Amino acid sequence: ASNGIRILPEKALRRCLALKEVSLPDSLTTIKNSAIERCESLEEIVLPEGLEEIESYAFNGCKSLMGIAFPEGLTYLPDRCLISCRSLEEVTLPDSLREIRGWAFENCESLTVLEIPDGVTAVRSLAFKNAKNLTQLIVPESVTTLDNDAILETNSSSLVMYVVPGSTAEQYAIDHGISYENLTNTGSAVSVKVTDPDGETIANGYSVSWYASDSDTLLGTGKKLRNVQAGTQVVCRVILL
C-alpha cells in the first residue's frame, strides 16, 4: 500500500494465507469490514497512530496473531473484531476507548488477562464468548452498561473479575455468580514509556505485559499497571509487533 492510503477497503487482504506480518501506513484512518480477515499465518500487525475506525470482522480468523496494540483515538472496538484469533495472548486497549462491542473477543482461546481501560462505559453482548482461558478481567468503575450476557459464556472455569466496590461490574458479578475480587486504591500505578533511539515517544506498534518477579505470573497488560503495593517487584515486557 502507498503511504497516502487512508482507507483499507473491505476484504482488501482477506485470505492472504501466507502473509505473516503487516505494517500499515501512517496515513491510514479506517479499516473496513473483513479487511484482514482469515490471514491465517499473520503473526504481527502494526496499527498506525492516526487510525480512527475499525469495522466488524476486521481481524476475524487470524489464528496465528499473538499480540495487537490498538492506538489512541479509537473510541470503540467493533463487533466480531477478533473472532477466532486463537493465538492472541496480549491485547493493549487505548485510554480513548468507550465501548467494547459484541463478540469482540469470541474464541480468543489464548487470552488469559485483559484490562478494560478506565473510560470505557459499555461492554456489549457476548464480548468474551468462548474466551475459555480468560482468568483475569479488570473492569473499571466507568463501565456502567454491561449487557446481560456480556461476560457470560466465556466457558472459563477460573475467571475472576476485578471490580471496584459498589460498581456496576461488582453487581454484575454477584448477579451472575462470577468470582470477583475488589480493586483497591491502596497501591500505586506504574507505567512504561517506549522511545526510539532519538528519544521520541513511540505511541503504538508494541504490546506491554506485566509480570510478577518470577517473570511467569502475568499481572496485567497495557501501558499502566494499577494497584502495585509498596516494595513489590514487577517485570515489564515490551514486544514490538
Side-chain angles (χ1 to χ4, degrees):
S2 67
N3 288 334
I5 189 172
R6 295 181 60 82
I7 297 175
L8 191 64
E10 183 174 331
K11 301 181 181 179
L13 299 173
R14 187 176 184 270
R15 291 189 63 82
C16 290
L17 299 180
L19 189 66
K20 290 191 174 183
E21 59 183 63
V22 172
S23 182
L24 298 170
D26 292 338
S27 58
L28 195 73
T29 61
T30 304
I31 297 176
K32 302 294 281 186
N33 289 335
S34 304
I36 311 176
E37 184 177 30
R38 296 186 182 177
C39 294
E40 296 181 356
S41 299
L42 183 67
E43 298 175 355
E44 302 176 6
I45 185 166
V46 177
L47 302 179
E49 295 180 21
L51 189 62
E52 298 172 356
E53 184 179 19
I54 301 173
E55 294 187 354
S56 303
Y57 293 99
F59 310 105
N60 172 33
C62 293
K63 64 181 183 180
S64 299
L65 186 65
M66 294 184 289
I68 190 167
F70 292 96
E72 292 296 332
L74 288 175
T75 57
Y76 67 90
L77 201 64
D79 60 285
R80 301 169 172 85
C81 179
L82 294 161
I83 283 184
S84 297
C85 291
R86 299 183 186 277
S87 299
L88 191 67
E89 297 179 356
E90 298 178 358
V91 176
T92 301
L93 300 175
D95 292 336
S96 58
L97 202 67
R98 296 296 176 263
E99 182 180 10
I100 297 174
R101 296 186 176 174
W103 298 272
F105 293 96
E106 182 178 355
N107 295 331
C108 289
E109 298 173 351
S110 297
L111 189 65
T112 58
V113 177
L114 184 71
E115 179 174 358
I116 297 175
D118 191 17
V120 170
T121 60
V123 180
R124 298 302 183 183
S125 181
L126 298 173
F128 302 97
K129 183 179 180 181
N130 205 33
K132 61 184 181 181
N133 289 304
L134 187 64
T135 58
Q136 298 180 40
L137 182 63
I138 302 168
V139 186
E141 191 173 16
S142 62
V143 175
T144 54
T145 299
L146 280 162
D147 285 358
N148 185 57
D149 54 359
I151 307 175
L152 299 183
E153 295 192 33
T154 62
N155 292 321
S156 171
S157 60
S158 53
L159 174 64
V160 178
M161 291 176 61
Y162 289 82
V163 301
V164 175
S167 67
T168 299
E170 182 187 52
Q171 190 60 52
Y172 181 95
I174 293 170
D175 291 345
H176 293 86
I178 299 174
S179 298
Y180 71 94
E181 293 187 15
N182 288 331
L183 290 170
T184 66
N185 296 316
T186 57
S188 300
V190 292
S191 60
V192 63
K193 181 172 74 171
V194 180
T195 62
D196 64 19
D198 296 322
E200 296 294 326
T201 299
I202 301 173
N204 55 64
Y206 56 87
S207 64
V208 180
S209 301
W210 301 89
Y211 293 85
S213 57
D214 60 9
S215 297
D216 291 323
T217 304
L218 184 63
L219 302 176
T221 59
K223 297 176 185 178
K224 182 180 290 186
L225 180 66
R226 297 177 175 86
N227 301 306
V228 179
Q229 302 301 312
T232 301
Q233 293 185 340
V234 297
V235 176
C236 178
R237 185 174 298 167
V238 178
I239 299 177
L240 297 179
L241 302 175

